[in-house]
Amino acid sequence: MLLFLDTANLDEIKEIAAWGVLGGITTNPSLVVREHQDFKKLVKDICKIVDGPVSAEVTATETEQMLVQGRDIATWAENVVVKCPLTPAGLAATKALSKDGIKVNVTLCFSVNQAILAAQAGATFVSPFVGRLDDINEDGCALVEQIVEVFHIQGFDTNVLAASLRGPQHVTRCALAGADCATMPYKCSSNWSVIRSPIPDCRSSSKIGTQPKHKPWQARARSRRRIRVQNKRQAKNEVFAWLRKVRWNQQKFRAQAGLSSLTAICLSSTMA
Ligand code: G3P
């Protein structure tokens, strides 16, 4: 399963690309707007950084306009992929673009049947929206599983691109389901538990260069020492209590029977 980043932010892309595991990028109009940059320039810059497919979405809602935008986008870079919505107009545009050899990512897929439509239209990728389905009390990862299975049974070669992922569990489940690609926001990939340990120790990447005040093994040694001291103190107190009793008995015997010290010690010890 290829790991994609769902962002148009160049800094985020550069950071994750440096890990050497970035398989591609997906963008959408709202992600692009956030960057306050020219769409074409931004997509071209992303395509230069990433050695993999970069999805750039059409904004038109009618087929003809989608085709104009899609054909233009396809010329921006070799690795650019035109993103079309899974609507009747988007399917028609997908069919025409893919006939021309243009790679299309059909987005906003919420059911197996929609995925079948995208595959029949010749899409290179179809993007089921996992997180959005979870939001409405559905199981988004289960949809990915079903699409993968149907595509396998039917022999469709459209790639399943699990989208709208929100956390590491989504990634794992989509990988188990057999998704071809998984796209996730920067926050999700940079917070993967494989990178940052949930144990806040001095080796966590966010704390490199800082040393905790007390190391865990020092705390354990301190607590063992405390227990040893407590046990010793308790044993000493027991001995002192026993000696006090012995002494008290000696005095009592001596006073009562006028015995010698030695006899008093022997007798009182047996009574302690
Ligand atoms: O790639 C799909 C993505 O842009 C939508 O994600 O988290 O807003 O559902 P989300």
Side-chain angles (χ1 to χ4, degrees):
M1 184 175 80
L2 293 176
L3 303 172
F4 288 14
L5 208 52
D6 192 34
T7 184
N9 183 283
L10 291 172
D11 291 333
E12 292 179 355
I13 294 169
K14 279 178 198 159
E15 183 188 326
I16 306 296
W19 296 3
V21 294
L22 186 58
I25 295 288
T26 51
T27 67
N28 61 39
S30 42
L31 292 172
V32 169
V33 163
R34 268 185 228 163
E35 301 307 313
H36 306 288
Q37 284 192 48
D38 175 67
F39 180 36
K40 183 173 175 177
K41 186 184 176 308
L42 185 59
V43 171
K44 279 181 150 191
D45 287 346
I46 296 172
C47 287
K48 273 185 218 150
I49 302 169
V50 183
D51 183 22
V54 174
S55 293
E57 192 164 340
V58 297
T59 51
T61 51
E62 300 306 323
T63 307
E64 280 316 308
Q65 269 308 304
M66 283 184 193
L67 286 176
V68 172
Q69 291 181 352
R71 288 193 174 113
D72 182 31
I73 291 170
T75 63
W76 295 351
E78 267 192 13
N79 53 338
V80 80
V81 173
V82 177
K83 206 171 175 187
C84 289
L86 211 158
T87 58
L91 287 171
T94 302
K95 183 86 187 174
L97 292 170
S98 51
K99 242 188 184 169
D100 292 351
I102 293 170
K103 290 188 172 64
V104 182
N105 173 6
V106 176
T107 189
L108 296 163
C109 172
F110 296 101
S111 74
V112 174
N113 291 351
Q114 287 179 338
I116 293 172
L117 290 172
Q120 296 284 12
T124 303
F125 299 96
V126 63
S127 296
F129 268 37
V130 173
R132 294 287 169 126
L133 281 167
D134 286 5
D135 289 346
I136 54 163
N137 207 27
E138 299 280 338
D139 185 353
C141 292
L143 173 64
V144 174
E145 273 168 37
Q146 290 168 7
I147 295 173
V148 169
E149 198 177 342
V150 168
F151 280 16
H152 178 69
I153 293 166
Q154 298 296 330
F156 294 146
D157 52 14
T158 299
N159 294 284
V160 180
L161 197 171
S164 174
L165 303 187
R166 306 274 171 78
Q169 287 303 320
H170 275 160
V171 181
T172 307
R173 282 192 66 197
C174 289
L176 283 169
D180 299 286
C181 330
T183 189
M184 68 210 76
Y186 167 80
K187 212 174 137 197
C188 173
S189 55
S190 62
N191 276 333
W192 278 10
S193 49
V194 289
I195 299 298
R196 288 185 191 196
S197 163
I199 303 163
D201 72 3
C202 54
R203 281 161 298 178
S204 120
S205 61
S206 59
K207 292 194 178 161
I208 287 173
T210 65
Q211 290 296 320
K213 249 185 171 176
H214 301 294
K215 298 184 175 77
W217 62 87
Q218 289 178 329
R220 277 198 299 275
R222 267 203 309 280
S223 105
R224 275 202 296 269
R225 207 175 308 130
R226 202 176 304 126
I227 291 167
R228 273 204 304 273
V229 169
Q230 272 170 5
N231 289 347
K232 259 190 192 166
R233 200 173 295 145
Q234 198 179 335
K236 243 188 203 169
N237 287 343
E238 279 169 16
V239 170
F240 285 150
W242 181 81
L243 282 175
R244 267 199 304 276
K245 210 170 168 189
V246 168
R247 254 181 242 127
W248 185 82
N249 282 337
Q250 285 171 5
Q251 285 162 5
K252 205 167 97 185
F253 270 86
R254 252 193 251 133
Q256 282 178 358
L259 295 171
S260 75
S261 311
L262 188 64
T263 320
I265 288 170
C266 293
L267 286 172
S268 60
S269 317
T270 53
M271 293 171 68

